[in-house]
Amino acid sequence: MPTLNYSPSVQTAKAANGALVALESTVISHGLPYPQNLTLAQEMEAVVTENGATPATIALIDGEIQIGLDAANLNTLATADDVVKVSRRDVAAVVARKRHGATTVASTMLFAHMAEIGVFATGGIGGVHRDSNWDVSADLIELAQTPVVVVCAGAKSILDLPATMEVLETYGVPVIGYQTDELPAFFTRESGIGLQIRADSIQDIADIVQTQRTLGLKSGILVTVPVPEDVAMDKKDADAAVEEAMAAAVAQGIHGKALTPFLLQKIGKLTGGESVETNLAFLKQNAAVAAQIAVALQ
Ligand code: PSU
Ligand code: MN
């Protein structure tokens, strides 16, 4: 086993068998602008705590795997310009070279599982990019093989959502709609894509998770929570910004790991910051739902 460096609060929670929620760090370093990213990271941790669980923000600091971050480390992730966006394929190189790395959904799941943390809150997962040859996020493949519950606001509308759902089905990943019949689409509550599993209570979700574990099914579980109504974006506005951002990415030849951060930043600019506000709101909501699930699983 690699060395996992636990923060004091995570160490204490683990020793007491307390509920834990993993949080990713790419959203901090590459997903949101400074200083909202730092405030958000602190607020997500506070929301997890308020809901009875202990937050464990995961990142690589000087190549060390950190499960739970102190204030200085959070600040580094929010401000440093030499933080690598680390998906599964990047892990070994960043650890070996002792660099700073921000974990995506895929690598956060990987490290959460190593640390025996079963629930993880994020904004949205990566998926199949539109009009691309094989730009399929490693998040989907990680969900196929790593038994961690990922709570998110669906997948970004910058993705090909029907294709993303097909890949999840192929890999046997249950997708649960929390109080919704429809896949939420990140900035908006609706996508037009129906879900097979709707759960109206936290206990119902916990029962499904527990059963999945008892059955020995090794895939992850995706819990999708629609963005709160009062901060959801108008679908027309969101779609227009997405289209324009996509066109800019094509024009500038942006692809690969740079694409998602580019699109998020561009959409933020195009909407005058509205998309960032929406993003912050559902990240906190997801942290609350994840903490409630973690507590119910105790
Ligand atoms: N959700 C957000 N902001 C983000 C991301 C998710 O609200 O920045 C990040 C996650 O870390 C996710 C990654 O794993 O985008 C997907 O990147 P890619 O499409 O390159 O796989
Ligand atoms: Mn990609």
Side-chain angles (χ1 to χ4, degrees), residues 166-266:
E166 291 295 340
V167 172
L168 288 169
E169 181 186 350
T170 300
Y171 284 114
V173 179
V175 181
I176 301 175
Y178 182 47
Q179 299 173 349
T180 182
D181 295 304
E182 206 178 314
L183 177 72
F186 206 65
F187 299 125
T188 59
R189 294 174 63 88
E190 57 287 303
S191 65
I193 299 170
L195 294 175
Q196 299 301 310
I197 313 168
R198 174 190 175 119
D200 284 305
S201 68
I202 295 292
Q203 191 54 51
D204 192 14
I205 297 174
D207 288 344
I208 294 170
V209 171
Q210 195 50 59
T211 304
Q212 170 102 348
R213 290 178 180 174
T214 305
L215 291 169
L217 297 171
K218 296 292 182 230
S219 55
I221 293 181
L222 197 60
V223 175
T224 64
V225 189
V227 55
E229 208 126 24
D230 56 330
V231 292
M233 287 179 70
D234 182 70
K235 191 169 185 322
K236 266 207 261 71
D237 295 349
D239 288 348
V242 166
E243 293 300 333
E244 197 174 334
M246 290 283 295
V250 172
Q252 295 179 45
I254 310 285
H255 59 90
K257 70 192 283 186
L259 184 56
T260 298
F262 174 89
L263 292 172
L264 285 168
Q265 198 188 11
K266 189 82 187 169

Side-chain angles (χ1 to χ4, degrees), residues 70-87:
D70 62 20
N73 288 338
L74 265 190
N75 198 63
T76 298
L77 286 167
T79 57
D81 52 17
D82 61 344
V83 180
V84 183
K85 175 179 165 186
V86 174
S87 193

Side-chain angles (χ1 to χ4, degrees), residues 24-28 30-32 85 87 103-106 122-127 129 135-139 156 159 186 256-261 264 279 282-283:
E24 63 149 305
S25 43
T26 291
V27 64
I28 304 170
H30 294 76
L32 292 166
K85 175 179 165 186
S87 193
T103 52
T104 62
V105 169
T122 183
I125 57 160
H129 276 274
D135 187 344
V136 180
S137 176
D139 295 353
K156 303 173 191 72
L159 300 168
F186 206 65
K257 70 192 283 186
L259 184 56
T260 298
L264 285 168
N279 204 334
F282 63 66
L283 279 160

Side-chain angles (χ1 to χ4, degrees), residues 94-112:
V94 171
V95 170
R97 291 171 179 168
K98 305 195 184 330
R99 298 196 54 189
H100 297 327
T103 52
T104 62
V105 169
S107 58
T108 305
M109 288 181 74
L110 179 69
F111 291 129

